[in-house]
Amino acid sequence: MSDLLNAFAIAGKAFFGFQAIFFALLAVGLNVHFGYTGLLNFGQIAFAMVGGFGIAISVSQWGLPFWVGVLVGILAAVVLALLLGLPTLRLRADYLAIVTIAMSEGLRLVFRSVSATPVTGGTRGLSAFNGDFIALAPWDTQHRYHILGTTWSGGELWVALVGWVLVTLFSLLVWQLMRSPWGRVVKAIREDEDAVRALGKNVYAYKMQALVLGGVIGAFGGMVYAVNTGSAIPDQYQSANTFLAYAALILGGAARVLGPVIGSMILLFILQFADTGLRAMISNGVIPSELLSSTDVAQIRFVLVGIGLMLLLVFRPQGIFGDRREVMLDAR
Amino acid sequence: MPAEPAAHGAHAARPDEPPAGSAPASAGTEKAAPRRLAQAALRDLPWEIGVAKPDPTVVVDGVTRTFGGLTAVSVDHLEIQRGGITGLIGPNGAGKTTLFNLLTGFDQPDTGTWSFDGRSLGKLSPHQVARLGVVRTFQLTKALSRLTVLQNMLLGAQGQRGESFLRALVPGTWRRQETENTEKAMELLQRFKLDAKSDDFAGILSGGQRKLLEMARALMSDPQVVMLDEPMAGVNPALTQSLLGHVKDLREEGMTVIFVEHDMDVVRDISDWVVVMAAGRIIAEGPPESISQNKAVVDAYLGAHHDAPLTVDDEDRVLAEAEASIAREGHPDQGVISSDRPHPRRTDR
Amino acid sequence: MTHAPHRARRHGRRTTTGQLLAADRPAPGRSGRRRTGRRPLVLSLLLAAFAIALATLVPGVANAAGESVTGTLQTSRSGPIEGVQVTVETAAGAEVDSAETDADGRFAIDVPGPGEYTVTLNAGDLPDAVQLGTNGDTVTVTVGPGRTQPVLFGLVDGSANSGGGTIRAVQLLVDGLRFGLLIAISAVGLSLIFGTTGLVNFAHGELVTIGAIIAWYVNVRLGVPLIPAAIIAMVGGGVVGALNELGIWRPLRRRGTGLVAALVVSIGLSLVLRYGIQIVYGGSSNPYGDYQSQRAVSYGVFTMTNRSLASIIISIVVLLLVALMLQRTRIGKAMRAVSDNRDLAASSGIDVNRVILFVWVMGGALATLGGVLLGLSDQVQWDMGFRLLLLMFAGVTLGGLGTAYGALVGSVIVGVFVQMSTLVIPDDMKYVGGLFLLIVILVIRPQGILGSRARIG
Ligand SMILES: Nc1ncnc2c1ncn2[C@@H]1O[C@H](COP(=O)(O)OP(=O)(O)O)[C@@H](O)[C@H]1O
Ligand SMILES: [Mg+2]
């Protein structure tokens, strides 16, 4: 029982922790791409990577101030979106999916390569670039705080606070955009871009704007992650993260302003709860160790995410918030 | 704004011809006038392919498009009269849709030039063509399913301030325009009897209603030329009549209409001029009456029929007519077009 | 977060296995460490220590005792390297411990608990001829609770890039051809499935893995020779393909699930299978029991092990058979017809569902064979298929999604390009080259090499 409570508390922390913010920002960006514009971007993690490394490289390699690093991260995301969009936005959805995932893997390989080591730190990555930011916290960052049975360091709390402010701001931005004529065009592109072209809209430009916007939001996710962990390592930015963000988005409901946010929180809660719960049950002997060892737990979580993703799409494609009628209209 | 100069153009085209030449006596039907004008302007033209029109708005020159070995479109010269309804007919696979795609920038030809009001459209992308006032609808209706009917309509409006990313963030800059557009959209929806559905998702509309919506949406942009690809296909007969009425209305507002249709009755009813395509070429053009007498047309439909069954029921009627006229005229000249049967090609992926 | 697929290394590893063996051969005309033009194969002798660094995003919570990191430093020429200092630090940069490698080149360092660690070797301690490989002097690993985490530095013995230009090019061409054919075999099913159902199957890589692993269990655990084991695996792959179709995709088609939704479902399936496999098979890479200790045979301008040669021959024969089947047999023609136009095929009396089922069975069996060939050259690993998936996509997309022959052409181009690109770009970036090629071709010809343009209106 106490194990269960403990698992609940730890999962509760995950509900609000920086990883939920990370996935929320990735998924808010994906919501702009996929939920509203219909762009099947499977390379979202690359935006997070250039965001995180934007700060890391600027601060620890070039010695620039932290906020310049943030600007560099945003700029890098914009450039990446443009580079990616120029050749691929004319492609069909499935081609775009392949190219974006290829791009994100390619970029990660470049970042971790020996040739890039002088800049990115190679496989080892970079660290010690978040000091300026943590120092801004209005409370003692060394102290540990106990909130509802969970323990947070002052730094963690600070990152989480700023992170949730970011999530709120971006959600408001998306909300405002999607109720404007701009949002109408973008949603129409999701439905049928040729029809939108025939009505005199420059579809390419709109897709590009959406790609840049969602990419920059994703880059902020990467920054939050890097700042919280204090390190930026290329191998942290695996494409599986993009899939998890998709799972969060679909869980919460695509094309809903709050869908990706709530989806990420719930997803992280479930993942952490399953993780802690399973480990506890294994160490208690509730689950016989021949069946499952604690080393398997990390994998089990992905199996669960996979199953969840499949079941959601088949039985509740609208997610938690979506409107089933609306989703069923989806002709694709 | 586009409607006005077009109407003006129709008049300017034939200043010498007395408007009363064939105008109805009843003065109240001022709406009917443009139709008569276009018809009158076209009346004395020779029935030959590529004939120059008195006041052409769209001019096509030497446009060809091939898919692999198949020549889908090969048009030497074609002019479309301003302010008239031009029917484009031809068996399936004749290249009508492809021609539409080329004219509206959705596809690039291998060779050729084409212009709208003297302005070359060759290098323009679809949205640029649309902004000039040439809008089209699609053979397979493209209702934007997960947008409401009203949103579909609003999308058609041109020059919206709120469609720019930055201004979208400041609702003050686009609210008024949005209200105006909404009024206009509701008016149009009323005309098309869709106003009751304005808040429903377009995806739940029936096939016929979607066709209506697509047409209404196109009209939101105040176009000068409207290109309708099989607007009546799949529409039930009751709706067909109202659709036909709308198409005629367009002409009366001074727009130029080009439409693809298979039902010869419809074509005869509303078009001022008919262009017949087969195997990518224009094989005849002339006023509607001339078409059923045209031997090339008859051959085309017959040839196509022998090789590939026409899917649209209506064409059977055309075919029956054709065969009847052949029976009257004697031996048909076979094998000219029949060998160019439409190849079913991989598409869509 | 998940694994750290050492994608960049994989290829090197494959060649390495061959090269290590080649180096064992008494080489006439070779003196000491000087290479000669006739030994182009001995290029980049990467260390053959295999590891999966499980970089988990969510660090383990529970504490289990006895975690450590371990590894072996050696290259084929230098042998085990003794006396190199290896240091382990926590992610935050605090030193945990350091140790020197023993006479076998081994090191083992205990770490205080599960989590992320960086392992650094002192490059100055390495012999002159040995250089750092693609991983540099530092490797980041995530140690699971209770695990002994292997660390792979991927040292090279300094002979890389010193081969004569053309000879090296020929060697790479041959190796690229083998790799490309292997991709092609695996990707035929991917392309045909897309052609017949419109599904972009992100779980296709797992078919490859499943094949390699079935063969491994049958071969290593049950002691069945590899060739019958591969045939058993292919049967298994066909069954898995059929189960895919019957259990998931056919019901989903019936429900009218959209293509994008189906694509995401396939991603979910890929996660389930991939991590399920890892739970069952584990995270280590293992070789097959047979054909491991072969030596490279010289063919004048290039050298090749017999199993590489066999891999090429098997690939070509199988691909020819597939082509013959598509061209000549009833079912093959039906496949092409369904691929071409499903509705038309259905209306002309073809049982579309049966054809699709056949495509899945065939695609599954072929992917399985691809997996066995890959396992033969690269060893068997739980995520080998997923790592191959992107290259399969690259090949299939290059050729034009949905066309069977396009997949062949595209895959071979990708394989050769990836290998040959190491002439100009560093070895650890060669996949980037392949992905770059994909993007470039799509810009020039969005429909792929053999594909046809989508129709509008
Ligand atoms: N994208 C395409 N790829 C290959 N062939 C095409 C494509 N689009 C049209 N075609 C071919 O061009 C010919 C003309 O087609 P289309 O213009 O649709 O005819 P219509 O609209 O008159 O029925 C047909 O044979 C068709 O198969
Ligand atoms: Mg057509």
Side-chain angles (χ1 to χ4, degrees), chain B residues 65-68 70-73 90-101 107 139 229-230 260 262 277 280 341-348, chain C residues 452-457:
Chain B
R65 175 72 169 104
T66 54
F67 294 108
L70 173 91
T71 305
V73 166
N92 288 327
K96 309 178 293 290
T97 300
T98 308
L99 181 62
F100 269 27
N101 286 345
D107 195 3
Q139 181 171 354
D229 200 346
E230 307 202 10
V260 172
H262 284 291
M277 286 184 78
R341 74 153 166 155
H343 301 274
R345 286 236 150 194
R346 238 298 291 318
T347 53
D348 282 339
Chain C
S452 56
R453 276 182 61 161
R455 166 193 176 106
I456 301 158

Side-chain angles (χ1 to χ4, degrees), chain B residues 65 97 101 106-108 136 138-140 344 346-349, chain C residues 194-195 198 338-341 344 401 452-457:
Chain B
R65 175 72 169 104
T97 300
N101 286 345
F106 278 90
D107 195 3
Q108 279 70 50
R136 67 171 297 182
F138 293 88
Q139 181 171 354
L140 300 171
R346 238 298 291 318
T347 53
D348 282 339
R349 3 194 98 106
Chain C
F194 177 85
V338 174
S339 225
D340 214 39
N341 187 333
L344 195 69
L401 270 178
S452 56
R453 276 182 61 161
R455 166 193 176 106
I456 301 158

Side-chain angles (χ1 to χ4, degrees), chain C residues 4-16:
Chain C
H6 294 180
R7 198 176 308 248
R9 233 172 290 153
R10 177 161 68 74
H11 219 69
R13 203 196 296 144
R14 185 190 50 256
T15 30
T16 304

